[in-house]
Amino acid sequence: MGLRKVIAAAAVMLALGAGGYVYWQKQIAGRLPAGIVTSNGRLEADQINVATKYAGRVREVMVDEGEMVDTGQVVAQMDDGELTAQFRRAGAEVRRAEQGKEEATASVLRARSQLEFAEAELKRVQRLHREGFATTEKTDQRYTELQAADAAYRAAVAGTQRAEEAISSAKEERGRLATILADMTLKAPKRGRVQYRLTEPGEVIAAGGRVVTLLDISDLHMTLFLPAADAGQLVVGSEARIVLDPVPQYVIPANVSFVAAEAQFTPKAVETAEERAKLVFRVKVRIKPELLRKYEDRAKSGVRGMAYLQLPGAEDWPERLQIKLPK
């Protein structure tokens, strides 16, 4: 009987001790120093859709899901065989137009020579006419020849202008096709991770059809909602810390990158009805790009966690919120 009492008393003491520890963890150790506020959220990153500008058949997709790609890296190639043939024909048109200009220029030189000859002949006949050695009919004939030569010269000059316009038009068409050809090679606009591979080689897609979706992990941020009393003190650049649910042993440094200028209702993602009834300000905390680049193989969006923000004049970060990163 005495032994059972001892065991029961020990069990009560153990339960009290465990309860006291839990209470200490939640109520005492969990308290934050003055000037540090917290809110829950999840990491977010912008998604970038790499899509085709023109309808066509996908010839090749060079990347797989989960792969990191650099800015300007080719991720897919559309079938451009027909366009390549059109581009070559446009190049031939440019060369023909340039040859046409050379011929027009030669025509101008011939017409100018004939015009100069006609002018000289008219002057010679007019002199002879004044001296009585040439008839009026001969003078009129040379004058008519001069007018014809002048008209031929003007036509040749106009032909040169038309040839230049033909060259310009052919070059514009060649440039247009070159631009379309370049657009048939799909490149990553930013460095990021391939989130989705949406098409496969051989598929025919419409203009604007998405081929891959990239995740821009250079701008990983967490969106929070804070009451006016806290948000009103924040400034862009204020220090913050992020602790993620899957890896609570790490404390990630961040900074406030955005504070909304207007209040809004708390979104439904906030659990309690009391909190949802309040007006709050939207705040973003952003992890520095250089840190993300260092740990880009671990960076993920959609991960939930807590963010802690330091208000102006706040105490230093407590021990449990000192920066701790993976090695």
Side-chain angles (χ1 to χ4, degrees):
M1 190 69 178
L3 180 60
R4 283 200 295 271
K5 287 183 178 181
V6 171
I7 294 174
V12 169
M13 293 297 293
L14 183 61
L16 289 173
Y21 177 77
V22 172
Y23 176 82
W24 181 83
Q25 284 286 342
K26 291 184 176 181
Q27 301 296 328
I28 299 176
R31 289 176 181 171
L32 294 171
I36 295 178
V37 296
T38 184
S39 182
N40 68 301
R42 67 176 181 178
L43 289 180
E44 300 172 4
D46 293 332
Q47 289 189 348
I48 304 170
N49 293 318
V50 181
T52 176
K53 189 176 180 179
Y54 303 98
R57 187 182 302 278
V58 180
R59 190 171 74 193
E60 187 178 2
V61 181
M62 289 83 160
V63 295
D64 292 314
E65 292 181 353
E67 184 179 338
M68 287 297 302
V69 296
D70 289 315
T71 302
Q73 180 176 335
V74 177
V75 298
Q77 177 65 52
M78 302 294 291
D79 187 359
D80 59 359
E82 184 178 349
L83 277 170
T84 300
Q86 293 178 15
F87 178 75
R88 289 172 179 167
R89 287 197 294 271
E93 284 295 325
V94 171
R95 291 190 292 274
R96 277 195 291 270
E98 290 173 342
Q99 290 172 357
K101 183 182 177 181
E102 291 178 0
E103 294 173 358
T105 301
S107 298
V108 169
L109 294 175
R110 286 194 300 270
R112 181 183 295 166
S113 177
Q114 292 173 357
L115 177 61
E116 291 173 351
F117 178 77
E119 289 175 341
E121 279 293 300
L122 177 61
K123 290 178 180 179
R124 186 177 66 82
V125 171
Q126 286 176 336
R127 186 179 69 253
L128 292 174
H129 182 266
R130 287 193 300 269
E131 295 174 355
F133 297 105
T135 64
T136 301
E137 180 182 0
K138 194 68 172 177
T139 303
D140 293 342
Q141 183 181 358
R142 292 292 182 264
Y143 182 73
T144 301
E145 290 174 354
L146 174 63
Q147 288 181 319
D150 182 65
Y153 174 74
R154 293 177 184 274
V157 171
T160 303
Q161 294 173 347
R162 288 193 298 272
E164 290 175 349
E165 291 172 357
I167 292 173
S168 177
S169 177
K171 286 184 176 180
E172 286 178 1
E173 177 64 11
R174 184 178 64 178
R176 185 185 70 85
L177 291 171
T179 300
I180 297 175
L181 271 174
D183 287 334
M184 301 299 276
T185 301
L186 308 184
K187 299 179 181 180
K190 291 189 71 176
R191 179 177 174 82
R193 180 181 293 124
V194 178
Q195 186 79 344
Y196 304 109
R197 175 169 160 157
L198 302 171
T199 58
E200 294 300 326
E203 294 185 28
V204 177
I205 57 179
R210 294 179 296 171
V211 178
V212 298
T213 298
L214 303 179
L215 196 65
D216 180 13
I217 59 174
S218 66
D219 186 14
L220 207 57
H221 56 271
M222 182 178 283
T223 300
L224 317 168
F225 295 90
L226 296 176
D230 296 333
Q233 301 182 60
L234 285 174
V235 294
V236 173
S238 296
E239 286 193 33
R241 298 286 188 268
I242 294 175
V243 179
L244 300 175
D245 293 346
V247 283
Q249 68 272 27
Y250 298 129
V251 179
I252 305 168
N255 295 92
V256 174
S257 61
F258 171 81
V259 180
E262 295 182 355
Q264 64 184 78
F265 286 101
T266 310
K268 294 180 180 180
V270 176
E271 284 73 11
T272 65
E274 179 183 359
E275 289 296 321
R276 289 200 301 270
K278 295 179 180 178
L279 283 172
V280 293
F281 286 79
R282 184 164 60 95
V283 176
K284 281 186 181 180
V285 293
R286 183 172 179 257
I287 302 173
K288 292 182 178 180
E290 55 268 24
L291 183 61
L292 289 171
R293 186 65 179 266
K294 183 178 179 180
Y295 295 99
E296 66 181 8
D297 57 328
R298 303 184 183 211
K300 297 177 179 65
S301 66
V303 180
R304 293 187 175 275
M306 298 293 296
Y308 301 86
L309 300 90
Q310 195 176 62
L311 302 178
E315 299 178 20
D316 195 13
W317 294 102
E319 178 61 28
R320 66 188 184 91
L321 291 179
Q322 295 296 322
I323 299 173
K324 299 172 187 174
L325 297 172
K327 295 182 180 179

